[in-house]
Amino acid sequence: GIRYLAEGEETGGAYALLEHTLQPGVMAAPPHRHAREDEVSYVLEGTLTVWEEGATRTFRAGEVVSKPRRRWHTLWNPGATRVRFLSVISPPAFASYFREMGAILAEPGPPNWAALGELSARYGLEMDFAVEQALEAEHGIRLG
């Protein structure tokens, strides 16, 4: 559900612009925080719920949500139809994380947790799987 619209090379290293699509009931990622990047998302269609450090807010088409670096956050689609949103990531290097993660997850067999952990560490990304499980149970969602 990710389409690259502009990458760092195209923006002089200022930002990356991605389009994300989430199906109903799907959480985009476990609760996480970035050490180096700020993100801003603009909802194009559907409803997007964002959890940030214990607070949950819902955004609809035409609304913007900021996810500053070093703040715990995750997001999901609480609606009955897909949600589509744009994300600006600055600086842009983190956009490559999604491609690398996809390659690891595409390998046959169960997920290679060691490789995923190394990837997260390299990008300065921390994840909280205990909060993920609590959010899944509370909101009836699943990691996508």
Side-chain angles (χ1 to χ4, degrees), residues 29-31 72 113 120 126-136 143:
W72 289 100
W113 295 110
S120 293
E126 295 177 74
M127 295 189 190
D128 189 331
F129 295 102
V131 172
E132 172 202 338
Q133 292 174 355
L135 289 171
E136 287 176 339
L143 187 59

Side-chain angles (χ1 to χ4, degrees), residues 57-80:
R57 298 178 296 156
T58 299
F59 299 86
R60 290 173 174 61
E63 295 183 315
V64 174
V65 57
S66 177
K67 297 166 282 183
R69 67 186 75 189
R70 293 185 289 280
R71 293 192 53 92
W72 289 100
H73 65 279
T74 189
L75 43 98
W76 63 85
N77 178 353

Side-chain angles (χ1 to χ4, degrees), residues 22-26 77-83 142:
L22 286 176
Q23 296 304 315
V26 173
N77 178 353
T81 60
R82 76 176 184 173
V83 64
R142 64 180 169 74

Side-chain angles (χ1 to χ4, degrees), residues 39-59:
E39 292 179 282
V40 175
S41 296
Y42 176 79
V43 181
L44 296 168
E45 66 181 68
T47 304
L48 183 68
T49 294
V50 176
W51 175 92
E52 184 182 0
E53 299 203 348
T56 303
R57 298 178 296 156
T58 299
F59 299 86

